[in-house]
Amino acid sequence: MNDQSTRRQFVTSSIATSALTGMAAAQSTSKPKIIDAWGHVSLPRFMSAEEYIALLNANGAEAAIVGTAATCPDLMELSRAAVKYPGRLRSIGMAMGRTPEEKLACISAQMDCGFTGIRLPADLVAKQPQLLDVVGKASGTPYIEGNQGYRVAARVLLDFLDRYPNCVVCGTHFAGPTDPGIFSREELVGRLFGHPRFLVIFSRQGYMDQDPLKIWSRAVVELTGWDRILYGSEFPVALWRDETYQSTQGWIDQAGLKPTSDERTIFVTVQVDLSGGGVMLRDG
């Protein structure tokens, strides 16, 4: 991005470039339709709903689960995306407010409006686990972010999964990369990553220190299998790291994870079902 370009201009022009690259790839192969488990729809910093749909179309993607961030908490555009494109975009909200009561009311309003789930820091749910109940009662999906394998929140997340058997928990950005020894040192962390309804989204890899991330990723795949690993592009943020939509999918090869053809298909397509209100595991 040069000094004369605004962020919006950069995103818009980059979408066009990505579209040309993705369309060529989509036309040259018979790849299955992709489901993108994490992207950003919020203005003016990220993408509009229509821009994200164009990105999906250009790259042979079926649907996406999109959210916002503290740097641009545009719940209006996220709500519009979910209403206008219910078959292609599902929206993840976020906890906003200065007090625990305000955060609780904010999350309740978002779930009442039909959001698929809420993006929640691990340390917040450890301090305020009742936030998870609001999401669970609406059959929604917590999108958890944090570090150290969510050690601080492992107990409350396991309790959530026990209380709400129809819900899953998604861990964003590799679910808190750290020393894989934590799976044996911390029983609750090992149990969380071993839970059949705890899903790990591989996203934001271009931002992280590659060697430790590769070690962590191999350990996670060994523990979860590919059935519980989701692909997330984190577009348009990935653009700011000089990544493309295609390269975010290809990182698993660069990392030496060596998925089989079937496992590669599982990674980008078959884990999540957007036919209901939340993020659910598909059958088969």
Side-chain angles (χ1 to χ4, degrees):
M1 182 166 60
N2 62 52
D3 293 339
Q4 303 303 314
S5 299
T6 66
R7 186 180 294 274
R8 287 299 309 147
Q9 289 169 337
F10 174 72
V11 168
T12 301
S13 63
S14 297
I15 291 169
T17 301
S18 177
L20 292 173
T21 303
M23 193 169 295
Q27 290 174 348
S28 65
T29 66
S30 56
K31 290 182 180 179
K33 291 288 187 178
I34 296 161
I35 293 180
D36 185 347
W38 188 238
H40 289 285
V41 165
S42 289
L43 296 174
R45 183 178 177 87
F46 302 121
M47 286 180 165
S48 69
E50 285 72 23
E51 287 171 334
Y52 217 94
I53 290 291
L55 177 73
L56 297 179
N57 290 343
N59 287 278
E62 176 184 353
I65 302 164
V66 295
T68 186
T71 52
C72 184
D74 182 7
L75 298 180
M76 184 176 295
E77 183 65 11
L78 274 178
S79 180
R80 190 181 73 84
V83 170
K84 189 169 183 179
Y85 303 103
R88 307 220 38 208
L89 298 177
R90 288 297 173 90
S91 294
I92 300 291
M94 66 181 299
M96 294 190 291
R98 292 168 295 181
T99 67
E101 292 76 20
E102 287 180 352
K103 288 183 174 66
L104 194 65
C106 182
I107 289 176
S108 297
Q110 291 172 72
M111 297 309 298
D112 287 345
C113 287
F115 276 52
T116 290
I118 303 292
R119 184 180 185 181
L120 293 163
D123 57 354
L124 178 60
V125 298
K127 296 174 184 175
Q128 205 175 343
Q130 62 268 35
L131 298 177
L132 290 171
D133 286 319
V134 175
V135 179
K137 289 175 182 177
S139 298
T141 300
Y143 259 51
I144 306 298
E145 57 186 24
N147 53 30
Q148 294 187 326
Y150 304 159
R151 180 178 61 84
V152 298
R155 175 72 276 169
V156 298
L157 293 173
L158 286 166
D159 289 344
F160 170 84
L161 290 167
D162 285 344
R163 287 196 304 277
Y164 300 98
N166 293 323
C167 292
V168 301
V169 171
C170 288
T172 63
H173 311 321
F174 294 85
T178 188
D179 175 7
I182 197 169
F183 295 138
S184 56
R185 291 195 308 270
E186 301 273 353
E187 179 189 356
L188 293 176
V189 174
R191 285 175 55 192
L192 178 63
F193 278 75
H195 198 287
R197 286 183 285 112
F198 179 73
L199 313 181
V200 180
I201 302 172
F202 278 16
S203 57
R204 194 175 284 183
Q205 60 271 6
Y207 177 78
M208 302 181 194
D209 190 341
Q210 293 299 292
D211 289 340
L213 180 60
K214 291 174 184 177
I215 294 170
W216 171 257
S217 300
R218 285 192 289 269
V220 169
V221 172
E222 184 176 342
L223 186 59
T224 66
W226 286 98
D227 290 346
R228 292 193 286 114
I229 303 294
L230 308 180
Y231 159 69
S233 71
E234 206 194 13
F235 252 62
V237 179
L239 288 172
W240 309 334
R241 301 188 293 262
D242 294 326
E243 296 175 87
T244 67
Y245 205 82
Q246 299 295 321
S247 72
T248 58
Q249 297 164 37
W251 181 85
I252 56 175
D253 297 310
Q254 298 174 25
L257 297 179
K258 299 179 180 178
T260 66
S261 177
D262 287 345
E263 289 168 342
R264 189 184 307 278
T265 299
I266 287 170
F267 173 58
V268 296
T269 62
V270 302
Q271 297 90 339
V272 292
D273 186 349
L274 300 184
S275 63
V279 179
M280 301 299 294
L281 289 174
R282 279 185 177 172
D283 295 328

